[in-house]
Amino acid sequence: MKKNHIKNRKILILGGAGFIGHNLALKLKQLGANVSIIDSLKVNNLKTLNKNINNLSFPQLAKKIIKQRLSLLKKNRIPLKILDARNYHALSSEFNRIRPQVVIHLAAVSHADRSNKDPHSTFDHSLRTLENSLDNSKNNIEHFIFLSSSMVYGNFKKSKVDENEICEPIGIYGALKYSAEKIIKAYNQTFNLPYTILRPSALYGERCISRRVGQIFIENALNNKKITIQGDGEEKLDFTYIQDLVKGIVCVLKSKKSINQTFNITYGKSQTINKLFYNLKKEFPNIKVSYKKRDKLTPFRGTLSTIKAKKLINYKSDWPLDIGYSKYIKWYKNIYYKKQF
Ligand SMILES: NC(=O)c1ccc[n+]([C@@H]2O[C@H](COP(=O)([O-])OP(=O)(O)OC[C@H]3O[C@@H](n4cnc5c(N)ncnc54)[C@H](O)[C@@H]3O)[C@@H](O)[C@H]2O)c1
């Protein structure tokens, strides 16, 4: 495998104070990279929590989680520049100051429901920021890495999809992710910008505040609230622990074979939502469940094949759902019962 180095490499993470970004930054720092972050803290982050814009059930807990993220970044001496990446000129001057070799673009509205509720601002935070960051990267960046989503596939036509599957996204979030992939490829065609596109799915793990299914289950259980499952619970998702995604991104950074490629990066085996609930019940035996009609804008998904990532960049997932989810629940119990919020 043709190798690239991580040590001392200047890596800029846009949207790096989010769930994926700060976990990734900590790992890259540990591997010796010269990491910096740009984040506005204004989308699904500290500044939305003061007014609880996203109407979270437990905003004080979310705030505590974000503060933990920020203090970990500080403790590990990872510089965070608070800046709105929609502002082209401000972003350009940061690019000129940092002079990154690698850009990892995560800034977006990262939530499908929220994207459907507010397409206008989603477009701005997702595509405007992306174009600003591509334009600043086009002439002098060694590698541009973008986090797309399994939502680009739309309804899975097979139980397992690979990267060659035709994409037919449903709703605003998937459509914007797919447009983003096309724009990145256009920058590659026009300016030879080397890129990698990653398609993760159903992530869970420490310090997430996005209220995806795995987190809602735990928060409800901690607050003695009933769990509601959309549909009959037999629908499958490729639940992926955050450290598997982080490992995938490290593989992308290390291997030159990742250049100009698109990869699914997931656990690589889907499980039913009932199975997720069963894992929760092991930790919260008294928890109750009810079922309701599913949202028509949520595509039916399944397993994402990770064979291409294994062959080309040597990626192999480490965290089956029962182990990763139980580790996550233990972390959650710990932060919740300390009740310093
Ligand atoms: N978490 C998942 O399950 C998942 C799955 C697939 C893809 N993704 C994608 O990965 C990326 C990161 O996801 P996440 O879960 O870490 O989301 P997140 O919401 O936790 O983080 C996104 C970060 O981007 C920042 N941001 C948004 N707009 C900005 C702007 N205009 N200027 C500067 N910063 C801005 C936010 O403040 C936030 O900290 C997103 O693009 C998301 O769509 C996430």
Side-chain angles (χ1 to χ4, degrees), residues 25-300:
L26 294 170
K27 182 66 188 181
L28 294 179
K29 180 78 185 191
Q30 195 194 335
L31 295 174
N34 180 346
V35 194
S36 10
I37 289 177
I38 292 176
D39 199 300
S40 63
L41 304 182
K42 275 200 289 214
V43 179
N44 195 26
N45 212 309
L46 200 60
K47 295 184 182 174
T48 52
L49 289 172
N50 291 331
K51 292 182 188 155
N52 197 13
I53 290 167
N54 295 325
N55 216 5
L56 297 181
S57 313
F58 310 104
Q60 292 310 320
L61 176 57
K63 210 181 228 178
K64 187 178 175 194
I65 292 174
I66 299 278
K67 285 188 174 159
Q68 197 179 69
R69 276 185 201 170
L70 297 177
S71 84
L72 278 168
L73 292 176
K74 200 168 173 192
K75 204 168 125 198
N76 285 278
R77 292 198 210 91
I78 299 170
L80 160 65
K81 174 75 184 176
I82 300 173
L83 184 149
D84 192 326
R86 292 176 299 177
N87 182 335
Y88 182 84
H89 294 293
L91 189 65
S92 298
S93 71
E94 274 310 294
F95 265 73
N96 286 334
R97 188 182 63 80
I98 297 170
R99 298 194 176 279
Q101 294 164 283
V102 179
V103 172
I104 305 179
H105 190 97
L106 308 176
V109 173
S110 62
H111 204 276
D113 288 349
R114 287 176 204 156
S115 304
N116 287 331
K117 282 185 186 129
D118 190 354
H120 180 75
S121 99
T122 302
F123 184 94
D124 234 22
H125 288 292
S126 304
L127 283 194
R128 173 47 47 215
T129 62
L130 174 68
E131 206 280 329
N132 285 351
S133 136
L134 282 167
D135 204 69
N136 277 294
S137 302
K138 67 182 189 290
N139 293 323
N140 39 24
I141 297 296
E142 292 166 14
H143 199 170
F144 189 93
I145 299 172
F146 177 69
L147 270 273
S148 180
S149 165
S150 62
M151 297 288 262
V152 295
Y153 294 115
N155 285 319
F156 284 22
K157 288 169 201 75
K158 307 170 195 145
S159 57
K160 195 176 202 174
V161 297
D162 67 22
E163 294 84 350
N164 294 321
E165 193 69 31
I166 292 170
C167 292
E168 289 179 300
I170 302 169
I172 302 297
Y173 180 78
L176 288 183
K177 284 292 183 200
Y178 193 49
S179 317
E181 292 192 4
K182 293 282 189 195
I183 293 169
I184 291 163
K185 287 180 183 170
Y187 266 84
N188 170 261
Q189 291 155 354
T190 316
F191 302 102
N192 276 326
L193 176 66
Y195 74 88
T196 304
I197 292 167
L198 302 176
R199 295 175 178 162
S201 183
L203 289 168
Y204 64 90
E206 287 83 348
R207 296 175 299 281
C208 183
I209 62 154
S210 301
R211 298 226 358 121
R212 293 188 182 84
V213 58
Q215 191 202 355
I216 296 176
F217 276 19
I218 302 172
E219 280 194 0
N220 283 10
L222 286 167
N223 287 282
N224 296 315
K225 285 175 115 182
K226 200 195 252 181
I227 305 294
T228 308
I229 293 180
Q230 291 195 19
D232 63 3
E234 285 305 298
E235 207 169 314
K236 285 185 166 181
L237 284 173
D238 197 341
F239 293 108
T240 304
Y241 184 53
I242 181 67
Q243 292 308 331
D244 273 336
L245 174 65
V246 167
K247 182 180 180 188
I249 300 174
V250 169
C251 293
V252 163
L253 284 163
K254 277 186 177 164
S255 168
K256 290 189 174 152
K257 288 189 180 169
S258 67
I259 297 292
N260 301 341
Q261 297 291 341
T262 299
F263 295 103
N264 292 334
I265 298 285
T266 60
Y267 179 65
K269 185 174 185 296
S270 59
Q271 301 276 3
T272 65
I273 296 179
N274 285 332
K275 184 75 192 290
L276 181 78
F277 177 73
Y278 168 78
N279 278 299
L280 181 81
K281 211 168 161 59
K282 284 196 274 185
E283 301 282 342
F284 299 94
N286 299 323
I287 194 76
K288 302 270 183 303
V289 63
S290 68
Y291 293 83
K292 73 169 192 188
K293 212 169 147 208
R294 73 191 294 287
D295 179 352
K296 68 176 179 16
L297 286 173
T298 308
F300 288 98

